Amino acid sequence: MRLNLQLLALTLCLNTTAVMAQNDLNPNLFLYSPGPGDGLHAARLTENGWQHIGRLCSSDYGTWGAEKKMYHPSVTQAKDGTWRLVFQVNDHSPQIAVAYSRDLVNWRPQDYPIMSVKPCEKPVVFENEDGTFDIYFRSPKGKRWVSATTDFRKFAADEPSLIDDDAWLRDTATVGGRLYEGNAFTASADFVGRLQQHFDQSGRDWQKTNERMHDDGKRFASLTQPIQATLTVDLAHQKTISDKLIGIFFEDISYAADGGLYAELVQNRDFEYTPRDHRGWNSTTAWHSASPIEIATEHPLHPNNPHYALLRQDTLWNEGWDGIAVEKGKKYDFSMFVFADGQKQDFLVMLIGQDGTVIAKTKLKTRGSEWQQFQAVLTAKATDAKARLAIVPQKAVRVGVDMISLFPQETFKNRKNGLRKDLAETIARLRPKFVRFPGGCMSHGQGLDNIYHWQHTVGPLQARKPDFNIWHYHQTRGLGFYEYFQFCEDIGAEPLPVLAAGVPCQNSAANKEGIGGQQGGIPMSDMPAYIQELLDLIEWANGDPAASKWAKMRAEAGHPEPFHLKYIGIGNEDIISTVFEERYEMICKAIRAKYPEIRICGTVGPFHAPSADYQEGWDYTKKHPDLQFMTDEHYYESTGWFLHNRNYYDNYDRQAAKVYLGEWAASTRTKRPNVETALAEALYLTDIERNGDVVHMTSYAPMLCKDGHSNWNPDMIYFSNTEVRPTMAYEVQRLFGNYGGDRYVRSTISSSKPDLNYRLGASVVKDTKSGATYVKLVNALPVSVSLTVDGLSLSGAQGERFSGKPEDAKAECLPVTLDGAVTLPAYSFTVVKL
Ligand code: AHR
């Protein structure tokens, strides 16, 4: 019965869509794809034939590079005027891609319904008389299938269809000299005109986005003299703003955790490296010995840590993370689990310098029949940036060894299993008001199996569950949730854990079944357990050890007092698909019901407006005001974009959820922070302070990057084993972090040349706790600005300033005292306290 109805419906639809195009004398809009990587494009009919208008949308399916392809797009315009798109995603997945739009400009984020066959070839979409839709596709042997949908979000299980070849008839048009297949439509001149205008405007915006200070010589050729400007301060007009505007984003990317902030000096201490971490890696990576290292799993130290090494008499060497940096006179804690099976074994444990000299040496006597931890202290007799660890068995006895660890005794706040002192202190100097962790993409992971489960990262180190890192290396989880929370407490910052919304990263590769993207999300049957895991986190952080097993765990780890968790982030710049929304809502409702005091942070995708996820994310957020306190926006943009979008938050709805600008950075083509990016960020942050009633938090991203292990640029702080190099982005964050307030005083800065105002910024904030007033002044022009200040006296105000050439990677931040006449040097940022 159903098949007949479908056939009938199809005939009707062909009459309204394809036939409309074929019979109409003048279809004027053609939708097509120039190639699989190019997405869906539009062309309009002109006197000179079909002219390209622009790209409407592109595939968001699967991994970057290998996937993100759109094959055989099929579009229909529904009776309600909306546009429905389906396309094939690849030649191996049991999924089709679907999306819809009201105007061909703004698209709802794509969904990838899972079908019973793979691949789903050449999907075509038709609207039925009753307003529902049928999507037909083929399997490789030519069999036809159909799936039905009423709302274009939920799709019925597919079933065989008898539809004939006519369903796949397509229109053709020659655009730019090439013949394409696609769908032709007759649209009103007004509609096509608006589409054209949209793309014309995008082109103009694109030019502004490309503005670079390094071309200022040409841009401001006639600007040779200092200009006058006035800062008008209206002390009578103040508003409360967030006192948490500046925080940090911590993600284990570019070796930020293992080999970075986490002070462990031994690489692959648990012998758990695998090729999943990185091609070519295995249990012996970073270890060396004269003969092949024997790895066993029969008698594991812990089920989560199954591999260990079997040692006889050969020396076992560890190369550390690009070597082990040791300093003369400093002490290092060595520890190792040994399974001696009742035998006695002694070891010499040494640090060997690059020239082969012994820098430190100690003896370890090991006895016992079960796994047991043995410890010793090494004192360095010399400084060496690239020492190695040597473990020398003293007898030809076979013993198992695991969790071989070396920590500097001097860690941040001298904590055991602690953080690298110099790096942590550099971070602490930012005075961040919150710490977001553990990511980024690390939080939602590469595929369902790699979603970050916080409970795998607490407890004894040997019981933590290592995993591969989405950034192509290994996570020991030695830096786990306990350590993150402890760090927050140590630097006086609010913890902001961000965990997956029941979906992995949309850029994930396909799973074993060939399902890519969000891989269909955590199956609904497993969602209760996943939700419980998130509730357990709140209990672990805040609960009473006498009443809760999770809080007891925290107390046993050394922290009986609660961590006072107030915020939790759910989701990380996910595609706001149906799969996402269903799971996100379940999670939020459960948290709200059990812990109404916890402030939930949602997510609105990876880009700013206008973009599909941003739009859908904010629509969802506004429709569910009861669920989230704030939502996380991400955008990495050019300096030009920041210069020309300084009013971005001015018109945000003050009644809606707050904004957490959780990942952002300005960049130029060099992809390294410099004075230009710093000034663009400083200008934008003055605007954010002005909008501190709607923006609750911001964090520059990424924060850390180890030399030689970069996954991403620009970053705020670069480092090696011996050096920490804060960038100009760091200086801006530090200045805003140290000179922040909780009241915004209305103020405007304007110059004698209004066209130049977009390069000037000012912000006046008060800190009601200390009574201080802070004034920030940014001049991103190539000439100095002579500033008149109305409504406030800056005379005698002291603070800090940097200035330089836009391309300078470093400009020193120097103390400054303002006198009566305030001059802002060219390309400078000044902060003073009153
Ligand atoms: O900050 C680096 C990455 O950028 C984050 O992991 C991800 O959320 C974003 O795409």
Side-chain angles (χ1 to χ4, degrees):
M1 183 61 187
R2 164 140 201 222
L3 289 178
N4 288 342
L5 282 177
Q6 281 167 357
L7 276 172
L8 176 65
L10 174 63
T11 318
L12 290 169
C13 282
L14 282 173
N15 284 341
T16 53
T17 307
V19 177
M20 176 177 78
Q22 285 155 12
N23 286 353
D24 193 298
L25 290 178
N26 199 10
N28 58 348
L29 183 66
F30 184 64
L31 306 183
Y32 67 105
S33 175
D38 298 327
L40 183 71
H41 286 240
R44 66 187 298 188
L45 192 63
T46 69
E47 284 173 2
N48 300 321
W50 290 98
Q51 298 290 324
H52 180 245
I53 300 179
R55 182 169 71 181
L56 304 175
C57 66
S58 45
S59 169
D60 207 357
Y61 180 87
T63 51
W64 290 104
E67 300 269 7
K68 306 276 186 220
K69 300 283 192 315
M70 180 184 286
Y71 300 92
H72 201 274
S74 161
V75 184
T76 192
Q77 187 177 23
K79 287 193 286 283
D80 64 2
T82 58
W83 302 82
R84 313 293 169 138
L85 161 71
V86 300
F87 61 89
Q88 181 180 335
V89 293
N90 58 29
D91 62 0
H92 51 270
S93 292
Q95 287 170 291
I96 49 175
V98 301
Y100 60 86
S101 167
R102 288 204 169 77
D103 51 11
L104 290 181
V105 169
N106 300 292
W107 289 82
R108 188 181 182 278
Q110 289 157 21
D111 278 311
Y112 309 108
I114 300 168
M115 301 290 141
S116 66
V117 291
K118 58 180 170 182
C120 305
E121 289 181 344
K122 299 193 170 173
V124 284
V125 58
F126 300 101
E127 188 183 25
N128 298 313
E129 266 302 279
D130 62 1
T132 64
F133 299 87
D134 285 341
I135 297 169
Y136 295 86
F137 58 94
R138 304 192 218 195
S139 50
K141 290 201 176 129
K143 246 175 121 179
R144 284 109 210 266
W145 301 81
V146 64
S147 169
T149 176
T150 51
D151 59 2
F152 234 69
R153 298 188 64 164
K154 291 252 188 271
F155 295 81
D158 51 324
E159 47 185 72
S161 161
L162 297 178
I163 193 82
D164 65 33
D165 277 346
D166 282 359
W168 281 274
L169 281 181
R170 285 154 74 77
D171 303 304
T172 56
T174 301
V175 188
R178 280 191 61 188
L179 184 70
Y180 294 106
E181 287 192 349
N183 298 105
F185 300 89
T186 304
S188 70
D190 182 44
F191 180 85
V192 178
R194 269 187 281 125
L195 203 56
Q196 183 70 61
Q197 273 166 20
H198 164 79
F199 283 97
D200 292 346
Q201 184 57 44
S202 303
R204 288 191 290 274
D205 290 349
W206 182 241
Q207 274 171 17
K208 287 186 175 175
T209 296
N210 282 331
E211 179 169 327
R212 293 277 318 277
M213 290 180 206
H214 110 152
D215 311 318
D216 278 356
K218 262 198 242 146
R219 181 172 301 104
F220 299 120
S222 59
L223 193 63
T224 51
Q225 298 301 314
I227 61 161
Q228 309 285 324
T230 305
L231 171 68
T232 309
V233 182
D234 183 355
L235 285 167
H237 278 99
Q238 299 187 12
K239 64 177 174 183
T240 299
I241 58 168
S242 167
D243 60 357
K244 302 199 168 29
L245 274 184
I246 304 293
I248 53 173
F249 165 95
F250 182 87
E251 170 164 29
D252 186 4
I253 180 172
S254 307
Y255 279 45
D258 292 306
L261 184 60
Y262 184 50
E264 173 63 79
L265 294 167
V266 174
Q267 189 180 181
N268 194 10
R269 68 179 177 195
D270 52 9
F271 302 96
E272 298 301 334
Y273 274 20
T274 75
R276 282 195 91 191
D277 297 317
H278 193 96
R279 195 186 298 165
W281 283 10
N282 59 42
S283 291
T284 64
T285 297
W287 293 101
H288 306 275
S289 182
S291 45
I293 301 166
E294 207 181 324
I295 297 294
T297 53
E298 290 74 30
H299 200 98
L301 171 58
H302 190 278
N304 289 342
N305 178 14
H307 299 87
Y308 56 95
L310 286 169
L311 293 194
R312 286 174 199 273
Q313 212 166 1
D314 281 334
T315 299
L316 185 65
W317 297 88
N318 189 272
E319 65 189 40
W321 307 89
D322 307 324
I324 297 176
V326 289
E327 231 183 296
K328 186 176 174 180
K330 296 273 163 77
K331 290 187 186 315
Y332 297 85
D333 287 335
F334 173 84
S335 65
M336 169 165 88
F337 277 85
V338 178
F339 177 66
D341 210 4
Q343 307 177 86
K344 292 180 180 172
Q345 177 61 296
D346 295 342
F347 297 92
L348 275 185
V349 180
M350 296 188 284
L351 283 165
I352 308 295
Q354 292 172 78
D355 60 0
T357 55
V358 177
I359 293 177
K361 182 158 127 187
T362 189
K363 196 164 185 185
L364 203 68
K365 291 183 175 206
T366 67
R367 315 273 181 269
S369 51
E370 273 307 317
W371 281 108
Q372 207 180 314
Q373 193 183 31
F374 296 89
Q375 295 171 334
V377 175
L378 289 159
T379 306
K381 287 190 295 193
T383 294
D384 197 305
K386 269 191 166 198
R388 289 181 300 157
L389 176 72
I391 299 163
V392 192
Q394 298 297 288
K395 285 187 275 180
V397 173
R398 195 167 177 254
V399 296
V401 293
D402 203 353
M403 294 301 288
I404 302 176
S405 168
L406 185 73
F407 262 87
Q409 278 192 353
E410 220 176 72
T411 57
F412 183 60
K413 305 265 179 197
N414 291 325
R415 300 222 172 266
K416 290 283 175 213
N417 192 47
L419 307 183
R420 215 177 106 174
K421 191 167 182 274
D422 54 355
L423 267 178
E425 283 177 349
T426 306
I427 295 168
R429 278 195 289 276
L430 292 164
R431 293 196 45 214
K433 304 302 176 293
F434 67 91
V435 182
R436 174 215 180 111
F437 55 90
C441 289
M442 267 269 313
S443 295
H444 55 186
Q446 149 49 51
L448 287 171
D449 294 346
N450 189 235
I451 285 180
Y452 194 95
H453 297 283
W454 74 272
Q455 75 279 20
H456 293 168
T457 76
V458 293
L461 296 179
Q462 67 274 18
R464 298 186 185 183
K465 207 168 178 180
D467 203 351
F468 72 91
N469 182 316
I470 193 169
W471 299 106
H472 313 298
Y473 54 99
H474 182 84
Q475 306 177 56
T476 63
R477 267 74 186 276
L479 174 51
F481 262 41
Y482 183 85
E483 292 73 24
Y484 285 125
F485 274 78
Q486 184 63 71
F487 182 50
C488 292
E489 191 172 271
D490 284 344
I491 61 174
E494 299 287 354
L496 171 54
V498 174
L499 292 160
V503 293
C505 182
Q506 59 266 30
N507 306 317
S508 294
N511 64 12
K512 287 197 289 291
E513 288 78 44
I515 301 169
Q518 291 169 316
Q519 301 190 342
I522 292 180
M524 277 300 166
S525 53
D526 296 339
M527 276 304 288
Y530 182 67
I531 291 171
Q532 188 57 48
E533 180 179 321
L534 301 176
L535 299 176
D536 292 343
L537 168 63
I538 301 170
E539 201 55 41
W540 175 85
N542 292 352
D544 172 3
S548 138
K549 78 164 189 184
W550 290 104
K552 190 159 169 268
M553 262 179 79
R554 182 196 73 231
E556 283 165 2
H559 205 286
E561 294 307 315
F563 275 123
H564 303 293
L565 174 67
K566 298 189 188 73
Y567 300 90
I568 189 166
I570 302 297
N572 172 62
E573 60 169 51
D574 301 281
I575 178 170
I576 313 297
S577 61
T578 304
V579 166
F580 166 88
E581 284 183 357
E582 285 169 346
R583 285 159 183 76
Y584 176 77
E585 192 162 329
M586 288 169 76
I587 294 168
C588 292
K589 282 186 170 158
I591 296 175
R592 298 291 297 141
K594 188 144 188 218
Y595 301 101
E597 71 284 6
I598 294 289
R599 294 173 153 189
I600 298 176
C601 176
T603 179
V604 294
F607 301 114
H608 53 69
S611 64
D613 299 307
Y614 172 94
Q615 195 53 51
E616 177 69 17
W618 268 110
D619 284 353
Y620 181 91
T621 303
K622 288 180 181 170
K623 258 187 239 150
H624 298 86
D626 50 321
L627 290 187
Q628 57 263 301
F629 167 75
M630 62 183 178
T631 197
D632 183 10
E633 297 188 351
H634 292 182
Y635 40 93
Y636 297 95
E637 267 292 1
S638 63
T639 48
W641 187 90
F642 286 104
L643 293 176
H644 290 286
N645 284 278
R646 299 203 32 214
N647 58 355
Y648 192 76
Y649 292 110
D650 288 356
N651 299 317
Y652 263 50
D653 180 352
R654 264 51 196 171
Q655 308 314 315
K658 306 271 181 222
V659 174
Y660 165 37
L661 177 51
E663 290 187 28
W664 75 291
S667 76
T668 62
R669 260 169 247 129
T670 66
K671 294 270 178 202
R672 288 279 169 149
N674 57 15
V675 168
E676 170 169 348
T677 58
L679 290 175
E681 286 157 7
L683 282 172
Y684 203 65
L685 281 172
T686 61
D687 305 318
I688 290 216
E689 285 193 329
R690 183 176 66 252
N691 286 292
D693 52 335
V694 65
V695 180
H696 190 66
M697 293 174 161
T698 69
S699 45
Y700 181 100
M703 182 170 61
L704 296 177
C705 176
K706 187 167 192 179
D707 295 345
H709 299 282
S710 169
N711 297 113
W712 192 280
N713 274 305
D715 304 275
M716 198 205 293
I717 302 167
Y718 292 85
F719 67 95
S720 66
N721 284 344
T722 51
E723 253 190 350
V724 179
R725 299 191 311 279
T727 62
M728 292 314 295
Y730 173 90
E731 294 305 339
V732 170
Q733 294 293 319
R734 183 182 64 76
L735 292 172
F736 275 87
N738 282 262
Y739 297 82
D742 54 1
R743 302 277 295 161
Y744 179 80
V745 182
R746 188 186 287 175
S747 55
T748 48
I749 186 166
S750 56
S751 75
S752 46
K753 297 176 188 285
D755 287 0
L756 304 180
N757 284 348
Y758 76 105
R759 293 284 191 111
L760 299 177
S763 164
V764 180
V765 297
K766 282 181 164 230
D767 177 14
T768 52
K769 282 179 225 96
S770 67
T773 299
Y774 299 114
V775 181
K776 304 184 184 84
L777 299 161
V778 190
N779 174 15
L781 287 165
V783 292
S784 61
V785 172
S786 157
L787 192 70
T788 307
V789 183
D790 276 355
L792 193 68
S793 167
L794 298 189
S795 188
Q798 296 189 329
E800 299 181 52
R801 168 183 288 161
F802 70 76
S803 65
K805 292 199 287 301
E807 60 277 19
D808 288 346
K810 206 69 200 154
E812 224 184 321
C813 226
L814 297 168
V816 68
T817 304
L818 300 183
D819 51 27
V822 179
T823 301
L824 307 178
Y827 298 122
S828 67
F829 177 34
T830 308
V831 186
V832 290
K833 176 181 173 184
L834 295 173

